[in-house]
Amino acid sequence: MFDNKYWQLIMSPFSLLYKWVMQFRNHLYNIEYKAIFQFETTVISVGNLSVGGTGKTPMVEYIIRFLLKNKLENKITTLSRGYGRNTKGFRMANEQDDANTLGDEPFQIYRKFRPAINVAVGEDRVLAIPSILYEQPENEVIILDDAFQHRSVKPNLSIVLSDYQHLFYKDYVLPSGRLRESRSGVSRADALVITKCPDNLSAEEMGNIRESASIYMRDKPIYFSGISYGNCYSPYMERPVKEKIAVVTGIAHPEPLLEFLKSKYKICKHFRFQDHHYLSSNEIQEIALFAQENQVDVLTTEKDWVKLINHSNFEASLKNHLFYVPMMVQFLDEEKSFQQLIEETLKEH
């Protein structure tokens, strides 16, 4: 196995080529050779520079909750590509949909917030937004999930996330690193949020991160957030979770979740799958058999939960063993400033 530095060295020519391609693409948008569309409704974009989990869905849910508190019920729509779904084109979520037709994250949001908001998926945001406005003429806010590189739509507020464990200014462009474009691309954003920070992050370290990130963000605001985990939950059982558990994850970075669970339970096994993975019948049977033979409960993320409950084997094998762990964004400082940024965007439009 190559050391990370050797891998970066070997892949550097390919990264340089990829970087040039992305810079040229962005240049075409900057000089307006490629069309950029702006819409009458307020558009808030949540995205990142890197591949992998930076916490976009929890941030989208945070914004939804804040907007609902501001009396925007039935006037909000989330729009994402719907990664991993078995459908194509524009689709407005309805009661017949599940994780297969919408994608795991859009269905998670739909299941949690319906009917207070609308959820839509569509590969082409430029075509999807007019479709939303046609079907929902009272709509006032559209939240774009994972759209920072989707330059054809100009958002009114662009929020970029960077994982504390993989800070963008220490990373490299694909395939040497995780960045989808060069570090300087972050300057297009209106705000940067450093996500998944430890609860005890010191003011000194925040200052150091701000100083390094400000080279690219200039005088734009930089915020820090962590993850808050709720009590494990199942709508099918009222009993508490057993002391011994197995963990199932299909997310990019499960380490923070595992650390939280280790503080409360004894983890006997971790079934780890790649991000957005849909478990097969054989995989579900393996997990269920382990739970039965070892008399443990199975804990998973909410994103994985919404895929499992629609599986044909769920009722027979996992229903009486499976719990999910709710997670929410928790700002470490300047939360009111972040909320004011959203409020000002709504007022200006």
Side-chain angles (χ1 to χ4, degrees), residues 299-311:
L299 268 59
T300 190
T301 67
E302 192 171 1
K303 184 168 85 168
D304 294 308
W305 167 272
V306 298
K307 291 179 290 188
L308 286 166
I309 59 174
N310 290 311
H311 202 284

Side-chain angles (χ1 to χ4, degrees), residues 51-217:
V51 296
T54 57
K56 292 186 298 296
T57 300
M59 182 58 68
V60 169
E61 291 185 356
Y62 176 92
I63 295 171
I64 291 170
R65 290 189 183 94
F66 178 72
L67 293 176
L68 290 176
K69 287 181 180 178
N70 281 263
K71 301 179 180 179
L72 285 172
E73 188 169 332
N74 299 319
K75 297 180 180 180
I76 306 164
T77 302
T78 64
L79 172 60
S80 64
R81 176 186 173 187
Y83 185 84
R85 63 188 172 122
N86 58 18
T87 58
K88 292 184 179 180
F90 175 76
R91 189 179 186 90
M92 187 73 78
N94 60 61
E95 292 182 357
Q96 282 69 51
D97 280 310
D98 57 25
N100 292 309
T101 58
L102 292 178
D104 49 13
E105 290 165 340
F107 183 62
Q108 174 184 326
I109 292 172
Y110 176 70
R111 186 174 177 274
K112 184 178 293 185
F113 293 101
R114 65 180 178 186
I117 73 164
N118 301 300
V119 174
V121 293
E123 296 86 352
D124 191 330
R125 272 78 159 186
V126 170
L127 296 178
I129 291 176
S131 298
I132 291 170
L133 298 178
Y134 177 78
E135 293 194 24
Q136 303 292 333
E138 301 299 317
N139 190 90
E140 293 186 14
V141 182
I142 293 176
I143 305 173
L144 300 182
D145 186 358
D146 196 14
F148 188 62
Q149 283 74 36
H150 201 90
R151 295 289 309 275
S152 55
V153 174
K154 183 177 181 181
N156 302 96
L157 176 63
S158 176
I159 302 165
V160 167
L161 313 181
S162 181
D163 185 348
Y164 170 80
Q165 296 292 340
H166 305 95
L167 293 165
F168 77 93
Y169 57 80
K170 295 181 179 180
D171 209 343
Y172 300 90
V173 172
L174 291 165
S176 295
R178 297 179 175 85
L179 299 185
R180 299 174 178 179
E181 57 178 295
S182 63
R183 301 170 185 176
S184 61
V186 76
S187 63
R188 299 197 308 274
D190 299 302
L192 169 68
V193 182
I194 309 299
T195 61
K196 302 183 180 180
C197 298
D199 294 339
N200 60 352
L201 186 66
S202 67
E204 181 181 2
E205 188 172 1
M206 285 186 191
N208 292 336
I209 293 173
R210 273 200 175 97
E211 183 177 355
S212 298
S214 292
I215 296 173
Y216 304 93
M217 287 296 292

